[in-house]
Amino acid sequence: MPSPSLLVGLKRLLVGSRIPSHLAHRERFGVATGLAILSSDALSSVAYATEEILRTLLVAGTASLWLVTPIGCVIAGLMLVIGFSYRQTILAYPNGGGAYRVAGENIGVVAGLVAAASLLLDYVLTVSVSIAAGVAAITSAFPQWQEARVALALGFLVILTVGNLRGIRESGRIFATPTYVFLGGMALLLIVGGSRILTGGLAPPAAPSGLLPSATAPLTIFLVLRGFANGCTALTGIEAISNGVPAFKPPEARHAVTTLLIMITCAVACFMGVTFLAHAYQITPTTDETVISQLNRAIFGGGTIVYYAIQAATTMILVLAANTAFADFPRLASIVARDRFLPRQLANQGDRLAFSNGILVLALLAGVLLVAFHGDTHALIPLYMLGVFVSFTLSQTGMVLKAWRERRRGWLAGSVVNGVGAILTAIVLVVVCVTKFSEGAWIIVALIPLNVFLFLAIRRHYRGVAAQLSLKGLVAGRERHNVVIVPIAGVHRAVVRALDYARTLSPDVRAVCVDVDPHATAQIQEEWQRWGHAIRLEIVASPFRSVVEPLLEYIEITDAERPGNFVSVVLPEFVPARWWQHLYHNQRGLLLKTALLFRRNVVVTSVPYHLEK
């Protein structure tokens, strides 16, 4: 394996120098950076939410595409209700945790775990869908790159992972500019596109290649509901700020609420603007060009600098939407881990005060999805949203129960808003579940309870460990005998050093040689007379030339001689000067340590002897 210094140097190059704990307050962000980090998911959905509605309606023919505007208005209204509801959640739970904390404290532990499982799954899908959508924006401008979309997606994933491993403030500095460039580009698109409608300069774009088949089904209520469910991707990401409140500078809640209100305003304006323009410009979804790209081409022309600038900004915001998940998944996982429902490693902060383990787990899971679904946005979308609407419903229901229980000033108005939000999101959840179940949503329906079962199993494990390690009822132990066994395959400096150490542990020291070569064994016995320090040498027969198994049998017999006493196994090991030189030597010591790890009363110690270069 590579030398530690080489690995440390590479790590410092990628993620930067370590940050001491007492400087943690410097890693928090304000409204401007928070908007870029935690709002990119909600803002980026503008780039594909309208398109998903149009693609669904097109099944009933182009004459049904006018429904995109009323469907968009309903979604925008729902967005405002959910946004105001999460404002109350932030003020009530300034320590973060969002739906997990709200549902867990007000409905029950299992409800909180359902919310956590739903959000964690949704964050994995957010990364996959956002990066895939960003790559789709690139391939719309450069169709010749279609075949490389998985490689492009994985490349973006690596960049985001490294950027987030560098810490919250660093990732905010890296990724803030693209968010504001996108908002500027969308403002320009909407203003110019809207002014051309008002001045009569509207010109529908030339029909692109790759038109989707139309008029294959009648326009039914179910189809409209399906279009509505697909368009509800615009609602994803609203909950992100409530999960990340502790990452803001003091006063955390006030900064988080301000960021939430700005995000909702921008998201509603952009979503409704794109939806209205798509209808006005008679945009028809295609297989090889996004709706944003068609609008952009119709308004500014396909080969202009503005066109490519807006496409580039759209690509960046779509990829950076994944950054919201990179900010929230590790933080939520750390909260759940501190409650002992996830492995403790996810609660640890890395050298840069980021939850590095959570970031790496998220990147790994998202990478698997991107490869499995070939980086196709439309294949991933059916799995999307279900989790976030489960958390929406549970969070708002929990807030209603909290308001009724505490009955503080203004509780009735707040509970009405949360109650309406809970009912609406529950209806959307049912619609999404029914309309997308056969398209892949069944996977999420199955994974949520499976994850909850896993959370509970992890909690049971930690409770069992704590009970067994507890000092309660412990009686002071008796004095124990210690037999020290030193396995040897020859007599050399590393063995002599290990024997010297072994004699400091106990007067009962035994060297054990497994006889796989009679000539080598005879040589060991001869040299033992001089270097053995009067230590007992045991020769163990091995008729099948195995080394580890006879050693394990000898250790087991020795342990049985004095039940309840210790058996210490001291392993002499020489360490080569170069990492690659380990390949030249057997790894019997490692195999023996692995095998003895699960033996009671057996203690294994390695005594290294470092070779010179």
Side-chain angles (χ1 to χ4, degrees):
M1 58 181 296
S3 64
S5 58
L6 179 64
L7 292 175
V8 170
L10 180 60
K11 181 179 179 180
R12 293 287 162 262
L13 179 65
L14 289 175
V15 305
S17 58
R18 293 177 295 179
I19 300 174
S21 299
H22 70 273
L23 295 180
H25 63 281
R26 295 186 182 179
E27 292 301 297
R28 297 190 177 195
F29 45 69
V31 173
T33 306
L35 185 66
I37 293 177
L38 298 176
S39 301
S40 51
D41 181 16
L43 296 175
S44 69
S45 60
V46 171
Y48 52 82
T50 301
E51 179 170 349
E52 290 303 317
I53 301 173
L54 290 171
R55 289 173 71 92
T56 305
L57 294 175
L58 189 60
V59 174
T62 54
S64 66
L65 296 183
W66 68 271
L67 285 169
V68 69
T69 302
I71 290 175
C73 290
V74 175
I75 293 172
L78 190 57
M79 196 181 299
L80 292 171
V81 172
I82 294 174
F84 189 80
S85 176
Y86 269 102
R87 172 186 173 275
Q88 297 181 181
T89 300
I90 291 170
L91 295 174
Y93 292 89
N95 293 323
Y100 168 64
R101 283 280 181 244
V102 177
E105 291 184 11
N106 298 290
I107 303 176
V109 173
V110 173
L113 294 178
V114 169
S118 303
L119 282 173
L120 292 173
L121 287 170
D122 187 72
Y123 288 142
V124 175
L125 287 163
T126 294
V127 174
S128 305
V129 170
S130 300
I131 291 178
V135 171
I138 293 178
T139 55
S140 291
F142 303 99
Q144 64 272 25
W145 292 359
Q146 279 280 354
E147 297 299 320
R149 63 187 182 188
V150 174
L152 287 170
L154 294 178
F156 283 131
L157 181 61
V158 170
I159 292 171
L160 282 168
T161 303
V162 173
N164 279 278
L165 287 173
R166 295 184 67 89
I168 294 175
R169 188 173 64 169
E170 190 80 9
S171 64
R173 187 179 301 146
I174 296 171
F175 302 132
T177 302
T179 301
Y180 291 104
V181 171
F182 171 76
L183 286 175
M186 289 305 301
L188 183 64
L189 183 75
L190 299 181
I191 291 170
V192 175
S195 64
R196 290 191 178 178
I197 294 173
L198 295 176
T199 58
L202 184 150
S209 60
L211 288 173
L212 292 169
S214 61
T216 58
L219 181 62
T220 62
I221 294 294
F222 183 80
L223 185 64
V224 174
L225 289 175
R226 201 169 131 207
F228 169 73
N230 287 339
C232 282
T233 53
L235 299 168
T236 58
I238 295 177
E239 82 296 335
I241 294 175
S242 69
N243 290 326
V245 178
F248 284 90
K249 293 178 180 178
E252 294 87 346
R254 191 179 74 185
H255 285 141
V257 166
T258 302
T259 306
L260 176 68
L261 295 178
I262 296 172
M263 178 190 74
I264 292 294
T265 302
C266 293
V268 170
C270 291
F271 172 67
M272 285 309 302
V274 169
T275 301
F276 176 74
L277 290 182
H279 173 59
Y281 279 80
Q282 301 175 29
I283 300 297
T284 303
T286 71
T287 57
D288 54 9
E289 186 176 12
T290 63
V291 165
I292 291 289
S293 177
Q294 291 185 61
L295 269 178
N296 194 6
R297 186 161 50 83
I299 295 170
F300 297 109
T304 63
I305 294 176
V306 177
Y307 169 81
Y308 285 111
I310 291 179
Q311 285 303 108
T314 303
T315 299
M316 287 189 289
I317 192 64
L318 284 167
V319 172
L320 292 185
N323 200 52
T324 297
F326 272 105
D328 270 0
F329 179 98
R331 188 170 294 278
L332 177 59
S334 73
I335 293 172
V336 179
R338 282 198 293 272
D339 292 339
R340 300 292 184 260
F341 290 111
L342 278 175
R344 293 180 181 179
Q345 296 92 322
L346 293 173
N348 299 335
Q349 288 182 298
D351 291 349
R352 299 283 295 179
L353 297 177
F355 295 102
S356 307
N357 293 330
I359 291 170
L360 293 174
V361 168
L362 175 60
L364 176 64
L365 295 175
V368 169
L369 279 181
L370 285 169
V371 172
F373 288 86
H374 308 292
D376 186 356
T377 309
H378 307 297
L380 288 163
I381 284 287
L383 282 69
Y384 201 30
M385 296 187 308
L386 190 65
V388 78
F389 275 99
V390 170
S391 68
F392 281 166
T393 304
L394 289 173
S395 174
Q396 293 176 109
T397 303
M399 288 299 294
V400 171
L401 295 176
K402 178 181 174 64
W404 275 87
R405 187 178 66 253
E406 297 179 355
R407 304 205 176 192
R408 296 180 179 178
R409 183 178 178 182
W411 69 272
L412 186 57
S415 62
V416 168
V417 172
N418 286 314
V420 171
I423 293 170
L424 292 177
T425 53
I427 293 171
V428 175
L429 175 61
V430 172
V431 171
V432 170
C433 201
V434 171
T435 58
K436 291 178 172 289
F437 190 84
S438 60
E439 297 178 20
W442 65 268
I443 298 174
I444 305 301
V445 173
L447 283 178
I448 289 174
L450 187 63
N451 278 347
V452 171
F453 176 80
L454 179 63
F455 293 160
L456 294 171
I458 292 171
R459 178 65 176 268
R460 281 196 300 272
H461 168 76
Y462 280 129
R463 282 182 171 174
V465 170
Q468 293 188 56
L469 294 179
S470 173
L471 294 175
K472 185 178 180 180
L474 179 66
V475 179
R478 60 179 176 80
E479 185 177 346
R480 297 190 182 192
H481 184 74
N482 184 18
V483 179
V484 182
I485 296 173
V486 185
I488 65 171
V491 181
H492 46 70
R493 293 190 180 214
V495 168
V496 173
R497 182 179 174 85
L499 291 172
D500 289 341
Y501 173 75
R503 289 190 298 170
T504 68
L505 301 177
S506 170
D508 189 354
V509 179
R510 309 172 189 180
V512 179
C513 172
V514 178
D515 184 9
V516 293
D517 183 348
H519 176 73
T521 302
Q523 186 176 355
I524 289 172
Q525 289 175 313
E526 181 182 342
E527 293 178 340
W528 196 254
Q529 302 301 320
R530 179 179 179 186
W531 299 103
H533 302 301
I535 292 173
R536 175 177 165 186
L537 175 64
E538 299 275 3
I539 306 297
V540 179
S542 179
F544 298 105
R545 297 161 306 283
S546 170
V547 174
V548 175
E549 288 182 12
L551 272 174
L552 293 175
E553 289 178 7
Y554 181 85
I555 292 169
E556 190 173 339
I557 292 170
T558 303
D559 183 39
E561 290 174 359
R562 292 173 174 168
N565 288 308
F566 290 114
V567 175
S568 293
V569 180
V570 174
L571 299 176
E573 294 186 273
F574 60 86
V575 182
R578 307 288 185 183
W579 66 267
W580 44 266
Q581 292 173 345
H582 284 277
L583 300 174
Y584 301 155
H585 306 282
N586 65 58
Q587 303 299 322
R588 284 174 183 162
L590 180 62
L591 293 174
L592 190 59
K593 281 186 277 189
T594 303
L596 292 175
L597 180 64
F598 302 98
R599 302 272 180 139
R600 292 179 182 272
N601 300 324
V602 177
V603 181
V604 183
T605 304
S606 293
V607 180
Y609 185 86
H610 295 273
L611 303 178
E612 300 292 336
K613 293 184 180 180

